[in-house]
Amino acid sequence: MPFLAFLFIFLLLPTYGVVRKAFIANDGGYTTEGFTDAISKEWPAFWGSLKLSFVTALLGVVFGTLLAYAAATARRPKWLRSLVASFSGVAANMGGVILAFLFISLLGRQGLATKLLTEAGWNPYKSWFNLNEFTGWVMVYMYFQIPLMVLVTLPAIDGLKPAWREASANLGGTTWTYWWRVGLPVLAPSMLGGFLLLFANSFSAFATVYALNTSANLVPVKISFFLQGDVTGRSPMPFALATWMIIVIAVSMGGYLVLRKRAERWQQQ
Amino acid sequence: MSTWRARLGRLFPTLVLIASALFFLLPVLSSARFALQKVPMVLLNWSNVFDGWSLRTLSQPFKEDNFWPTLSLSLKLAGGTVALTLGLLVPTALFVHLRLPKARAFVEFLTVLPYVVPPIALVAGVAAFFRPNARWYLNSEYALVPLYVVMALPFTYRSIDAGIKAIDVRTLVDASRSLGAGWVTTFRRALFPNLMSSLVSSSFLTATVVLGEFTMANTLAKRTFPTFLYEYYGLKAQSGTALALMTLIGTTALLGIFTLFTRRRGARVPTRF
């Protein structure tokens, strides 16, 4: 079948190429040195990527669920829910250089908000904020992480039947009991799955952070740096980094796909 | 006490919505302000933040030498990706559906594999594998097309598969075949009209993703539209922001058109995930 041949050539062979080159030394022999070097010498990049992915996934889950809940329960403007859903569809796809430019215009060193806040007496760059560093990356990533979480969790929130709430109240449960005993357990697989999806999404994101800071110490940026800097194409470093990256993402995406199956249990009509 | 809490409970979702609206709109508004202002950024303050507008930057990017060539390359890549995706996936999905239902789970598994190999890793592998074995491929202008097909695979396959599941393919095929139609006629006159909306929607989404893809194009040093935008912004931040904003509006409009196509069928919101 042409489809299988295509996948073989353009997905499996390149992946194999990455993994193979991760284990080949400069002299052409087999070695695990590059593979272990990648994690020991480039540990700051890994730590940065893990930290960034963890923080943005966690915040994304919290704010995404809150936004989805607010949109799903709001009654008054009828179009609100579909507006939030459509907008999330657009914004979740929006990582990349454009997103970086939008935020530079707002919160860059010469950004509009930076200027106006400084004039009002508070310079964000003199306290904790810097768009080219961790705090700034987190803020920019939220722009696609929150909408992605909304997309994941909106069907789950729709799956919460009002009858359950009434049943809980009839049995003497408070709002707190309802959320703790009914709502959260039903939402839990979606939230945990969403966390893993967001984690993988942030871990693999390259363009956004590259446009903010080309020397960001994160795994994808390092891979690009080594790929472009190494003319001989012999160094195992970028490939070892990419192999580690595939491993991390495979674990979190695998968990997501399993949890998604479980989350869909309450979403059938 | 209880009314106070009830009021807070009602107010809370509204606050969440307002805060979200601010977070998502402010970067867009500030970039519009930055792109269209005449006041030098250094002199900007509370008193002149709404003064001095100019539309000059909107026309600047079109005068760049690299604008049209890169845009046309990106449009060709988008067209090529859509064509290859449809040519590859529609027969596969139909075949699996009609002849090999047992292989469905396996094919679905294959189509989500690209999630696991992020673009930067895939492109590293492509460079590693094809540089020694098929250099002509890497040098080709269209080297990105198959990579974009792979990148888009998880959502394109799901969308096409959902379109096929939604109609009774077997009955349509049997009816058409028993009336004497060949496979081509069957596809063209019986299946295609019914699959139209799912094919169109996945094509639009693919096209917008291709038009914004930066990672692989940049790593393989291909001069596509996003890499032009990135370079241009480095030279002229203000016109670059204007171009970024116009691109954003353009692609959002494209997605908007495509949502209209899908909404009639009550499909869920399109995403990459």
Side-chain angles (χ1 to χ4, degrees):
Chain A
M1 260 164 87
F3 174 68
L4 291 180
F6 174 83
L7 270 191
F8 182 75
I9 296 173
F10 291 106
L11 182 61
L12 298 187
L13 281 184
T15 311
Y16 167 75
V18 166
V19 177
R20 199 180 66 107
K21 286 204 100 173
F23 290 102
I24 289 182
N26 278 331
D27 58 13
Y30 171 85
T31 173
T32 55
E33 204 175 293
F35 195 59
T36 47
D37 266 5
I39 205 120
S40 56
K41 284 196 188 146
E42 292 302 330
W43 178 247
F46 269 98
W47 180 235
S49 271
L50 290 171
K51 208 165 59 166
L52 181 63
S53 306
F54 185 85
V55 171
T56 60
L58 194 67
L59 293 175
V61 167
V62 172
F63 290 117
T65 310
L66 281 179
L67 177 57
Y69 185 75
T73 50
R75 289 213 190 86
R76 225 159 323 148
K78 266 188 193 154
W79 41 263
L80 187 77
R81 189 187 181 285
S82 64
L83 176 80
V84 170
S86 313
F87 175 79
S88 300
V90 174
N93 287 322
M94 217 183 87
V97 290
I98 293 181
L99 181 61
F101 298 162
L102 295 189
F103 269 93
I104 293 173
S105 78
L106 183 69
L107 283 164
R109 242 169 235 287
Q110 298 293 320
L112 191 65
T114 313
K115 286 269 172 192
L116 296 182
L117 287 173
T118 308
E119 204 195 333
W122 183 68
N123 183 343
Y125 281 78
K126 291 230 168 85
S127 45
W128 49 271
F129 186 82
N130 186 339
L131 193 63
N132 306 322
E133 303 285 342
F134 188 79
T135 46
W137 304 337
V138 170
M139 183 163 279
V140 178
Y141 276 35
M142 296 321 290
Y143 205 94
F144 55 80
Q145 296 281 61
I146 293 177
L148 180 55
M149 190 61 200
V150 169
L151 294 175
V152 171
T153 198
L154 207 49
I157 286 174
D158 286 340
L160 291 176
K161 310 231 172 357
W164 295 347
R165 188 166 208 148
E166 289 153 17
S168 161
N170 279 340
L171 293 169
T174 58
T175 308
W176 196 83
T177 333
Y178 166 72
W179 279 113
W180 185 242
R181 307 290 287 271
V182 183
L184 277 179
V186 170
L187 291 183
S190 303
M191 290 175 75
L192 195 58
F195 176 84
L196 293 172
L197 175 68
L198 266 58
F199 185 90
N201 190 37
S202 160
F203 203 86
S204 59
F206 168 78
T208 315
V209 76
Y210 183 78
L212 289 172
N213 182 350
T214 46
S215 55
N217 203 1
L218 296 172
V219 177
V221 183
K222 279 280 163 189
I223 295 177
S224 155
F225 170 77
F226 283 117
L227 272 183
Q228 290 176 343
D230 179 30
V231 234
T232 60
R234 288 234 185 98
S235 160
M237 190 54 101
F239 306 103
L241 284 173
T243 307
W244 277 109
M245 194 174 174
I246 292 173
I247 294 172
V248 171
I249 290 173
V251 170
S252 43
M253 282 308 286
Y256 162 66
L257 292 174
V258 169
L259 284 165
R260 188 171 71 178
K261 282 246 154 62
R262 206 183 141 82
E264 276 163 3
R265 190 192 287 178
W266 298 109
Q267 291 166 27
Q268 275 125 27
Q269 295 297 311
Chain B
M1 177 69 185
S2 68
T3 52
W4 180 80
R5 271 177 69 175
R7 203 171 293 164
L8 189 74
R10 253 175 292 144
L11 198 64
F12 187 64
T14 318
L15 286 177
V16 169
L17 288 168
I18 291 173
S20 309
L22 281 179
F23 177 72
F24 287 104
L25 282 179
L26 278 180
V28 181
L29 295 177
S30 79
S31 70
R33 171 63 193 151
F34 175 56
L36 302 178
Q37 76 189 348
K38 272 201 301 201
V39 185
M41 210 60 207
V42 196
L43 300 179
L44 194 76
N45 56 39
W46 281 100
S47 62
N48 63 12
V49 65
F50 294 114
D51 302 341
W53 296 85
S54 153
L55 294 176
R56 192 184 51 88
T57 53
L58 290 183
S59 60
Q60 288 295 311
F62 300 97
K63 294 178 192 150
E64 287 292 313
D65 286 342
N66 285 329
F67 177 82
W68 293 109
T70 54
L71 182 63
S72 103
L73 176 61
S74 274
L75 289 173
K76 278 187 246 167
L77 290 175
T81 306
V82 167
L84 187 58
T85 299
L86 295 181
L88 210 54
L89 292 190
V90 173
T92 306
L94 281 174
F95 181 79
V96 168
H97 201 84
L98 291 171
R99 293 284 165 83
L100 264 180
K102 275 183 195 157
R104 198 133 105 210
F106 175 66
V107 173
E108 260 168 37
F109 167 75
L110 287 180
T111 59
V112 297
L113 277 184
Y115 276 152
V116 173
V117 187
I120 188 78
L122 182 66
V123 82
V126 166
F129 187 79
F130 288 99
R131 194 166 287 154
N133 296 321
R135 221 196 160 89
W136 56 268
Y137 163 73
L138 277 187
N139 292 338
S140 155
E141 216 180 13
Y142 298 101
L144 287 166
V145 168
L147 304 184
Y148 288 166
V149 173
V150 169
M151 187 182 74
L153 195 58
F155 67 80
T156 47
Y157 186 82
R158 192 157 20 124
S159 150
I160 291 170
D161 191 50
I164 290 176
K165 267 187 214 159
I167 60 172
D168 192 350
V169 178
R170 184 165 294 279
T171 311
L172 283 174
V173 170
D174 287 349
S176 162
R177 302 278 287 164
S178 67
L179 289 169
W183 276 107
V184 176
T185 318
T186 301
F187 182 74
R188 196 167 55 85
R189 310 239 346 231
L191 294 180
F192 185 72
N194 282 298
L195 292 175
M196 185 63 178
S197 86
S198 83
L199 298 186
V200 168
S201 66
S202 80
S203 302
F204 268 108
L205 188 55
T206 313
T208 54
V209 169
V210 170
L211 289 176
E213 204 285 330
F214 175 78
T215 306
M216 300 205 247
N218 181 60
T219 313
L220 289 181
K222 300 288 177 210
R223 307 197 46 85
T224 63
F225 184 70
T227 63
F228 164 72
L229 174 61
Y230 176 74
E231 276 172 23
Y232 183 55
Y233 181 87
L235 299 172
K236 293 176 184 165
Q238 209 179 348
S239 313
T241 304
L243 182 58
L245 206 56
M246 287 188 281
T247 313
L248 180 64
I249 292 168
T251 39
T252 309
L254 206 61
L255 272 179
I257 297 171
F258 136 73
T259 322
L260 287 181
F261 262 99
T262 45
R263 193 177 283 165
R264 259 176 277 153
R265 300 233 158 183
R268 46 174 292 193
V269 182
T271 70
R272 283 190 295 134
F273 302 94

